[in-house]
Amino acid sequence: EVVCILKGLVEDGEMHLSDGRRLLRPGRATNAVLEGTIVVHPNFRMFVLANRPGFPFLGNDFFRECGDVFAVHVIENPDHTSEVEMLTRYAPEVPLEVLQRLSAAFTDVRKCVDDGTLQYPYSTRELV
């Protein structure tokens, strides 16, 4: 998985690319940087997104695989007002009332996930 490959760059300061080039963080680069070596900018930062572990997501458990080198922050679904505002930016031509009803429906579906009635954790991504 891509996230685990990125872990190598963060943890070791080096990552080999499939085309033979490699990335090095500045502290690992020497004055005699070889051709095919890309020195990563000192201000480079990664924001890595991952699904929560477990069903229905079949990827790696992010925290188990990479939690020791990344600062993990869980981002919950937005509240109804924030979600509707975000939706108006995605679909400005859709009437506000429709967006409000859609967000309310997803809020209800998410409550069903929380109480165990449904298993799939619907997010704003599915709503969009």
Side-chain angles (χ1 to χ4, degrees):
E1 184 169 307
V2 172
V3 171
C4 293
I5 293 169
L6 293 175
K7 177 185 178 190
L9 180 59
V10 173
E11 190 171 47
D12 304 327
E14 182 171 350
M15 184 173 80
H16 292 270
L17 303 175
S18 62
D19 65 2
R21 295 176 300 159
R22 69 180 180 158
L23 301 174
L24 281 179
R25 72 172 166 231
R28 298 218 28 173
T30 65
N31 291 337
V33 175
L34 301 174
E35 185 176 329
T37 299
I38 301 167
V39 179
V40 177
H41 192 279
N43 293 334
F44 174 76
R45 299 291 181 266
M46 273 193 247
F47 292 87
V48 180
L49 303 176
N51 290 322
R52 67 184 194 180
F55 181 82
F57 306 111
L58 303 176
N60 292 319
D61 178 336
F62 180 83
F63 190 76
R64 183 185 72 225
E65 299 295 333
C66 304
D68 57 332
V69 296
F70 289 104
V72 177
H73 301 278
V74 175
I75 300 173
E76 299 295 337
N77 288 309
D79 61 61
H80 176 73
T81 303
S82 299
E83 187 169 67
V84 169
E85 183 172 336
M86 185 177 4
L87 290 171
T88 60
R89 295 176 192 262
Y90 274 108
E93 70 285 351
V94 176
L96 180 61
E97 180 184 313
V98 172
L99 297 176
Q100 290 171 331
R101 288 190 354 239
L102 285 168
S103 179
F106 265 70
T107 298
D108 291 344
V109 168
R110 292 177 191 132
K111 287 178 186 170
C112 291
V113 172
D114 290 343
D115 69 19
T117 307
L118 294 174
Q119 292 184 354
Y120 187 85
Y122 292 91
S123 69
T124 302
R125 177 176 59 198
E126 285 86 13
L127 177 54
V128 170

